Amino acid sequence: MSFRLEARADASIALKLLVSLGAGLAALLLVAIPVLFAGGSPFTAYGLIIQGAFGSMFALSETLNRATPLILTGLAAAVAFRARLWNIGAEGQLYIGALSAVLVGSGLLQMPPMLLIPTVMIAGFVAGGLMMIIPTLLKQRFGADEVVITLLLNFVVILLVQMLVEGPLKDPLSMGWPQSVPLLAEAKFDKLVPRLRMHWGLVVGVAAAILLWVLVRKTVLGFEIKAVGENRAAARFAGIPVDATMLKVALISGGLAGLAGVSEVAGVKGYLSADLSPGFGYSGIVVAMLAGLSPVGTVFAAVFVAAVFVGADSMSRATGISNYLADLVVALSLLCVLIGGFFLRFRIRYERAAAPAAGA
Amino acid sequence: MDVLLDIFGSANFWAAAIRIATPLIFGVLGALICERAGVLNLGIEGIFVAGAMAGWLAVYLGAGLWGGVLVALATGATFGLLHAVLAVILGLSQHVSGIGITLLATSLSYFTYRTALPTVTSPPRIVPFQPVSIPGLSDLPFFGPALFQQTPLTFLALAFVALVAFVLYRTPLGLAIRAVGDNPASVEAQGLSVRGLRIGAVVAGSALMALGGAFLTMSAFDAFFFGMVNGRGWICIALVVFASWQPGKALLGALLFGAFDAFQIRLQAEIGQVVPGQVFLMLPYLLSIVALVLVARRADYPRALLQPWFKGQRH
């Protein structure tokens, strides 16, 4: 008996959901190993994670607060990966977006909130977008690989932010802490519910997901992104402006990551510091992959990843198991969903007769 | 000018350059082997972390320094095997698989460190590799301290450059590895296993990457810190392109990089009051980007890089 792989034309929604669920379950099963290794009970740990993420209004607010930047960085990765533009630089773009928010919104412009908030958001979006346009242009003009350049730029940007918050942007009233001058009150996002941390950034994220869904499904640019992502040479042959499309994708992708930075500054911290993001840019890649690059799915995947992080913190406080367990869950989910993608692309056919000898 | 003369004229500077280059030599060689076989391994950053942690922890638990080296090698090989299963056997996206391996190896290392040492406040230390003297050479004036007073892992890295070059260019195995990254169909036509060669290359390359990490905790420093790898893996991925996938040029690239890094540290000591320290810290990353952009146009990428291979596949 032998088996061969047969490419699927298209996977049904049911199969996609099944594979996502299977991947999630597989990740949870695998994570039981390190939990046991750390001397804990997997069921207790999972219970505490779920309780810590959703068990109260406060927990839910923390989870949604954490999901907000992940929705935006997840969308950033999703739109770029759809066009096969490998933007691994969302972390740096997030910081550049946050930096622009502080530059524009901490006293340079005096406006009512109705004007200042959109201005700050546009500044962050454009700055993040430019940050991704640079490596895209380097790719187009010089053939330089965008993966490595976006990765390396992350380190450059974080050092730049460190330099600025210890130097010219440093808040004189921060008691020596390396943090920037605060954002004006007029530039800050309101809380969604009084006394809870979740804020209007969540609405921005969900709105961005819906807009991106419309863009991908209903517009010419969406069609061009699909064509460029599936086969760049064929797209060029068919007369699609490949380079221009890639630049638009770069602007949108980097811009969304920049918005994540604006949202963290305007909605949570109120100032810029070099520890603004605990890797939201990198987690965004996982979010996008978990969502199968679907914009609406990104919202749910972001809530899942955020819940794992928030829940693991609370689990860690209760059991003493390291909260790096959250990073493990997220990494394993990514790998499981990647393997799941194999079953979406291929169907495995078993055959009784020996396969033809060609190539065997 | 005097400052520059002081820096380049000191044996100390050249010794530091070689020391800084050592983990990069391991990393670039590892990435080079993987890519020559047609597989991009973005797991490198995490494999550095895992090699650094596992090697160090083994020594800390009493395995001895060379025992730690073996543990690091095995750790790297294991993550390499995982990447090979995903990227070679299942033919999944090498980019995403590599990023996944980096996330997994990093989080597993941090989790293991925290779990094994739950109560420590300051990182525990081990007795790292000490510089060895080579009779005759180490006592030479200037050249002795500049080049020949390094730890065993540095000499091991240099030996690996020669070994990898020899295997790649002078053995049938090397010919097959190079062919599998350029024209896998020709390899299969000869009756060799494309996937077998690729899996072997990824496992071997990943083991070398882990040694780069182990050098950090067992030779350059004596403890494991969170975030200590700090992009060195990504720099290696850039250096491979800069080195045109050749071991000799990889050594040269790593040494140039090491010299540059050692130079900026010393320059910082001289003019650090005028320019913020972060500017100097940025330079290695910016240098890698510039190097990549400069060579990218004429870079001779292995032609089958990133392309999965299914047995019996026809073009």
Side-chain angles (χ1 to χ4, degrees):
Chain A
M1 195 171 96
S2 69
F3 68 89
R4 68 192 163 90
L5 298 172
E6 197 176 274
R8 285 179 201 275
D10 202 6
S12 66
I13 303 251
L15 185 70
K16 280 182 183 166
L17 274 176
L18 191 73
V19 162
S20 289
L21 280 176
L25 270 179
L28 283 179
L29 276 176
L30 285 171
V31 170
I33 301 169
V35 172
L36 288 169
F37 171 66
S41 144
F43 287 108
T44 314
Y46 295 154
L48 286 169
I49 289 178
I50 294 169
Q51 203 186 349
F54 301 110
S56 64
M57 198 54 205
F58 172 78
L60 185 65
S61 153
E62 285 301 295
T63 298
L64 292 177
N65 180 45
R66 184 91 181 215
T68 300
L70 291 175
I71 294 173
L72 289 162
T73 55
L75 292 172
V79 66
F81 287 12
R82 272 175 173 263
R84 286 191 190 269
L85 178 68
W86 299 103
N87 177 10
I88 322 289
E91 189 77 1
Q93 292 142 20
L94 180 151
Y95 274 101
I96 284 290
L99 174 62
S100 312
V102 169
L103 288 177
V104 174
S106 61
L108 181 71
L109 301 175
Q110 303 284 348
M111 298 177 187
M114 286 294 283
L115 290 174
L116 191 55
I117 288 177
T119 309
V120 164
M121 284 172 56
I122 291 169
F125 186 93
V126 170
L130 288 176
M131 198 66 207
M132 186 55 210
I133 282 181
I134 296 169
T136 310
L137 279 175
L138 290 176
K139 179 190 174 75
Q140 291 174 353
R141 295 288 158 84
F142 300 99
D145 183 34
E146 77 274 25
V147 176
V148 187
I149 293 188
T150 52
L151 275 167
L152 291 169
L153 281 175
N154 289 341
F155 292 87
V156 176
V157 171
I158 291 172
L159 285 164
L160 174 74
V161 166
Q162 260 180 32
M163 183 173 93
L164 292 175
V165 298
E166 285 175 18
L169 280 182
K170 184 169 176 171
D171 184 0
L173 305 176
S174 70
M175 323 258 284
W177 290 105
Q179 63 188 48
S180 78
V181 287
L183 224 52
L184 296 176
E186 290 84 5
K188 286 185 185 163
F189 292 175
D190 277 339
K191 305 291 176 204
L192 286 173
V193 180
R195 283 188 302 281
L196 289 177
R197 286 214 298 171
M198 58 182 179
H199 54 89
W200 275 87
L202 180 65
V203 178
V204 173
V206 173
I210 295 168
L211 282 177
L212 196 63
W213 179 81
V214 172
L215 184 142
V216 165
R217 284 296 175 86
K218 309 280 179 199
T219 67
V220 175
L221 179 59
F223 172 77
E224 289 171 342
I225 291 173
K226 187 171 152 69
V228 169
E230 277 171 3
N231 188 332
R232 213 164 282 173
R236 188 162 281 146
F237 186 71
I240 288 172
V242 173
D243 283 0
T245 304
M246 296 295 260
L247 287 173
K248 287 177 199 161
V249 170
L251 177 67
I252 296 170
S253 173
L256 287 166
L259 266 189
V262 175
S263 161
E264 284 303 282
V265 167
V268 186
K269 289 278 178 76
Y271 56 85
L272 174 65
S273 63
D275 60 357
L276 181 72
S277 159
F280 289 135
Y282 300 105
S283 305
I285 297 168
V286 182
V287 167
M289 291 305 296
L290 289 178
L293 308 187
S294 135
V296 176
T298 299
V299 175
F300 295 98
V303 172
F304 167 74
V305 170
V308 168
F309 276 107
V310 171
D313 278 345
S314 131
M315 180 277 306
S316 179
R317 282 191 296 274
T319 62
I321 296 173
S322 161
N323 59 358
Y324 280 109
L325 193 72
D327 299 84
L328 263 178
V329 176
V330 170
L332 285 168
S333 306
L334 173 64
L335 292 175
C336 289
V337 108
L338 185 65
I339 295 170
F342 177 79
F343 295 102
L344 289 182
R345 270 177 42 212
F346 297 103
R347 158 196 337 260
I348 298 175
R349 285 281 164 112
Y350 290 93
E351 294 172 336
R352 211 161 285 253
Chain B
M1 258 349 264
D2 285 351
V3 174
L4 295 185
L5 273 182
D6 278 354
I7 292 177
F8 290 119
S10 87
N12 210 337
F13 164 77
W14 294 104
I18 295 172
R19 194 166 57 239
I20 294 168
T22 302
L24 301 176
I25 296 173
F26 282 121
V28 183
L29 281 181
L32 181 152
I33 295 171
C34 297
E35 291 184 24
R36 267 296 170 105
V39 183
L40 176 70
N41 189 352
L42 292 181
I44 184 168
E45 181 81 5
I47 292 174
F48 257 70
V49 178
M53 206 291 299
W56 175 88
L57 189 63
V59 177
Y60 181 71
L61 297 176
L65 285 168
W66 289 105
V69 168
L70 289 180
V71 168
L73 279 170
T75 307
T78 307
F79 284 110
L81 186 62
L82 183 57
H83 185 53
V85 168
L86 298 172
V88 178
I89 296 183
L90 297 181
L92 299 167
S93 160
Q94 296 180 8
H95 285 116
V96 181
S97 170
I99 300 278
I101 299 282
T102 282
L103 294 177
L104 178 67
T106 307
S107 53
L108 202 56
S109 304
Y110 290 176
F111 182 83
T112 307
Y113 182 85
R114 272 283 153 78
T115 305
L117 307 159
T119 52
V120 297
T121 43
S122 68
R125 298 179 183 286
I126 58 169
V127 180
F129 279 109
Q130 303 298 321
V132 290
S133 303
I134 301 176
L137 292 176
S138 299
D139 303 326
L140 291 174
F142 184 76
F143 290 103
L147 305 178
F148 297 110
Q149 290 180 8
Q150 299 286 343
T151 63
L153 287 185
T154 298
F155 295 118
L156 187 67
L158 297 173
F160 265 118
V161 176
L163 179 69
V164 171
F166 177 79
V167 171
L168 271 185
Y169 295 112
R170 293 276 183 272
T171 66
L173 174 66
L175 184 66
I177 291 175
R178 285 184 289 137
V180 100
D182 264 333
N183 186 354
S186 75
V187 176
E188 191 167 83
Q190 291 191 323
L192 296 170
S193 162
V194 172
R195 290 174 159 201
L197 283 162
R198 284 189 170 172
I199 294 167
V202 173
V203 169
S206 303
L208 274 185
M209 293 170 183
L211 275 194
F215 177 84
L216 295 176
T217 47
M218 295 164 57
S219 209
F221 306 101
D222 54 5
F224 177 78
F225 308 100
F226 290 60
M228 76 187 301
V229 172
N230 212 2
R232 280 186 179 83
W234 308 135
I235 287 171
C236 289
I237 296 286
L239 282 177
V240 181
V241 183
F242 180 73
S244 322
W245 293 269
Q246 294 172 23
K249 287 189 183 170
L251 173 64
L252 185 71
L255 287 174
L256 275 176
F257 193 94
F260 180 81
D261 211 18
F263 175 70
Q264 63 90 2
I265 294 167
R266 280 157 181 76
L267 195 65
Q268 193 178 353
E270 301 285 345
I271 62 167
Q273 290 78 20
V274 196
V275 185
Q278 286 90 359
V279 171
F280 296 98
L281 294 174
M282 272 180 215
L283 290 175
Y285 305 110
L286 289 173
L287 181 77
S288 303
I289 293 173
V290 170
L292 195 63
V293 170
L294 287 181
V295 301
R297 201 35 107 192
R298 53 195 168 79
D300 192 12
Y301 279 86
R303 278 188 290 276
L305 187 65
L306 296 176
Q307 290 172 11
W309 177 261
F310 294 102
K311 196 166 180 177
Q313 153 181 341
R314 271 151 289 190
H315 288 283

